[in-house]
Amino acid sequence: MRKTPSLPTTLREDLEHAGYYPDLVADVLDVSVAAEPTVGHLVHAETTFDHDVVRRHITVLVLTDTRLVVVHADDHAPEPPDGPQQTYATAATEAVPLAAVKSVVVTHVVPSPETYRAGEGSRELTLTIGWGGVSRLDLEPAGCADPDCEADHGYTGTASTDDISLRVSADADGEEALRRALDFARALSAATAGRPG
C-alpha cells in the first residue's frame, strides 16, 4: 500500500490488515480527513452472505479534534450481466462535526453475568452513533385502556437517530478488535462530552 501522507501509520496498517481495497479506502479517507490530525480510529471489516453471493464491507471511523469522519465501502456484483464481467466498489465518506453528534450508545453483551468480575469486560459490543443524518420514525396506532372503545386515538411512536451501528464480537473479530472498538467508543464519548448539540 502506498503511503497517504495525512493518515497515521497505524491507520494505514489497520486498513492493510483488513484487506479490503486498502489503497481505495485510504484515498477516499484522505479527502475527508483533509490533513487534520487524527485522535483515534476504528476499522471494521465485515463479510455478509446474500443468497449465493459473498459481499464484503468495510467501515472506518476516524476521530479528529473537530470531526467524526465515517467511510463505508462495499463491492457490487459484476455488471453488466450479459457483457464483460466487472466488479465495482462504492466508497462514501461523511464528515460530521463533533458538535453535531447527538448520541454515542455502547451496548455490551456479557455471558453469565452472575459470575462477572470487575474489569473482565464484555464479549461483544455494538457501537451506535447518531448525529441526525438518518432519522427513523416507528409509528403504531394509539389506543386506550377501554377494550370496547372504537374512537380513533391517532398514532404513537418513537423517533430515533442511529446513523451508524457497528457490532464487534470477541468470538468473531478477536479480543484485540473488541478492545479497539471499546477504546474508540471511550474516545468518542469523551470528545463529545459537554458539547452543545
Side-chain angles (χ1 to χ4, degrees):
M1 184 164 103
R2 72 169 177 77
K3 301 295 183 194
T4 306
S6 65
L7 300 181
T9 303
T10 55
L11 175 51
R12 290 194 307 266
E13 288 171 349
D14 287 351
L15 293 174
E16 187 69 37
H17 182 262
Y20 184 86
Y21 307 123
D23 288 335
L24 169 63
V25 176
D27 280 352
V28 298
L29 186 56
D30 185 55
V31 171
S32 290
V33 170
E36 187 176 1
T38 64
V39 175
H41 69 270
L42 178 62
V43 175
H44 182 66
E46 184 179 16
T47 302
T48 57
F49 301 93
D50 182 12
H51 300 289
D52 59 346
V53 178
V54 176
R55 299 204 187 282
R56 299 183 306 149
H57 314 265
I58 190 167
T59 303
V60 182
L61 307 177
V62 174
L63 180 61
T64 73
D65 284 330
T66 62
R67 298 175 300 143
L68 170 66
V69 178
V70 180
V71 174
H72 182 78
D74 51 12
D75 44 27
H76 305 278
E79 294 179 2
D82 57 347
Q85 297 290 294
Q86 182 173 358
T87 302
Y88 291 88
T90 302
T93 61
E94 185 169 2
V96 181
L98 288 179
V101 175
K102 293 178 173 52
S103 65
V104 179
V105 180
V106 183
T107 305
H108 300 264
V109 176
V110 179
S112 305
E114 66 279 1
T115 63
Y116 182 85
R117 298 292 174 255
E120 282 183 358
S122 55
R123 295 297 300 164
E124 176 183 311
L125 68 82
T126 301
L127 173 61
T128 304
I129 307 166
W131 57 86
V134 176
S135 295
R136 187 179 71 241
L137 187 61
D138 294 320
L139 294 176
E140 61 184 39
C144 68
D146 181 1
D148 298 322
C149 180
E150 295 181 8
D152 182 355
H153 295 284
Y155 289 88
T156 186
T158 57
S160 59
T161 59
D162 50 352
D163 293 279
I164 191 160
S165 189
L166 296 178
R167 178 182 166 270
V168 182
S169 163
D171 296 329
D173 304 301
E175 299 278 353
E176 180 64 16
L178 185 66
R179 184 194 61 76
R180 288 181 183 200
L182 193 56
D183 288 348
F184 184 84
R186 184 178 286 117
L188 181 59
S189 292
T192 56
R195 289 186 182 264

